[in-house]
Amino acid sequence: KTYVWNPSTFQYSELNTITPPVDAANMNYGWAHKIAEPGASSVRSTATKYLFVSAIGHNSYAGRVYMYEWGLGADGSTYDTWTQNLVIDSPDGGTGKRFGHRIETNDNGDILAVSSVAPGNAGKVEIFVRTSQSSDDSVQHSFSLVQTLYGTASEDSTLNTKFGDSLAMSKDGTTLIIGAPGADLTNQ
């Protein structure tokens, strides 16, 4: 559900509900989510906003991230609709990865960090950058993987450090903090 803050009543009111694009059991749609709002003074009528929503249970827990864009509603003049326009899968593939455990993005929505934290592996965080193409007032959104960060020195380690269990990114994307609550530095 999407809620909007009303500054005069100091309360949130429901705007709309975003439903999973695929009706599948155990999808865990909405496990993690993040809004990117480019611009210094973003408000409800600001046209460019992005919403990233994960579904870690998609395809036997391979995981997936959906990207939505804020736009005009049915009346053609009020910004009140999130439209899905992109699906991001881990290039690594495979089941049981839980891609989308956590999501973080910079304010512009052009740097995206997505963690995969699954039982039996150390965890990883994949970094994507937006490579969208614009033409004729339309945008073809896309993201490309540029880096993968691992919680241990060995990519296939089974040490369950939970690397990527929490993420925080600075507004401009120059700093990324990755939590690993299962790390035990005495044994690594």
Side-chain angles (χ1 to χ4, degrees):
K1 294 189 182 271
T2 306
Y3 292 87
V4 176
W5 178 255
N6 183 334
S8 60
T9 64
F10 298 106
Q11 295 182 344
Y12 283 98
S13 60
E14 187 175 329
L15 175 65
N16 60 18
T17 300
I18 300 172
T19 56
V22 177
D23 186 17
N26 300 321
M27 194 165 152
N28 292 318
Y29 178 81
W31 184 270
H33 37 80
K34 179 66 180 179
I35 293 178
E37 300 184 83
S41 58
S42 182
V43 294
R44 183 175 171 183
S45 60
T46 302
T48 305
K49 295 181 189 180
Y50 304 105
L51 172 63
F52 300 92
V53 180
S54 74
I56 64 163
H58 174 77
N59 192 22
S60 299
Y61 287 92
R64 170 173 274 179
V65 173
Y66 296 92
M67 178 183 158
Y68 296 83
E69 192 167 4
W70 183 242
L72 293 172
D75 68 3
S77 64
T78 305
Y79 284 92
D80 64 1
T81 304
W82 289 106
T83 303
Q84 183 206 334
N85 57 19
L86 185 64
V87 173
I88 303 168
D89 292 311
S90 172
D92 205 17
T95 61
K97 304 286 185 176
R98 296 179 182 233
F99 177 75
H101 180 77
R102 295 289 180 256
I103 303 169
E104 193 59 63
T105 186
N106 65 335
D107 278 0
N108 290 332
D110 53 10
I111 302 172
L112 179 67
V114 181
S115 72
S116 296
V117 177
N121 73 38
K124 68 179 177 180
V125 176
E126 292 171 287
I127 310 299
F128 297 84
V129 294
R130 189 159 30 122
T131 54
S132 305
Q133 303 292 319
S134 298
S135 63
D136 300 330
D137 293 331
S138 67
V139 177
Q140 289 292 107
H141 291 289
S142 60
F143 278 81
S144 296
L145 177 69
V146 295
Q147 186 178 17
T148 302
L149 304 169
Y150 297 97
T152 61
S154 172
E155 177 180 332
D156 297 322
S157 173
T158 58
L159 284 174
N160 194 11
T161 64
K162 294 187 178 181
F163 181 78
D165 194 51
S166 62
L167 299 174
M169 186 181 290
S170 62
K171 291 181 176 203
D172 62 3
T174 59
T175 303
L176 176 65
I177 299 170
I178 302 171
D184 179 0
L185 297 179
T186 61
N187 295 323
Q188 294 182 33

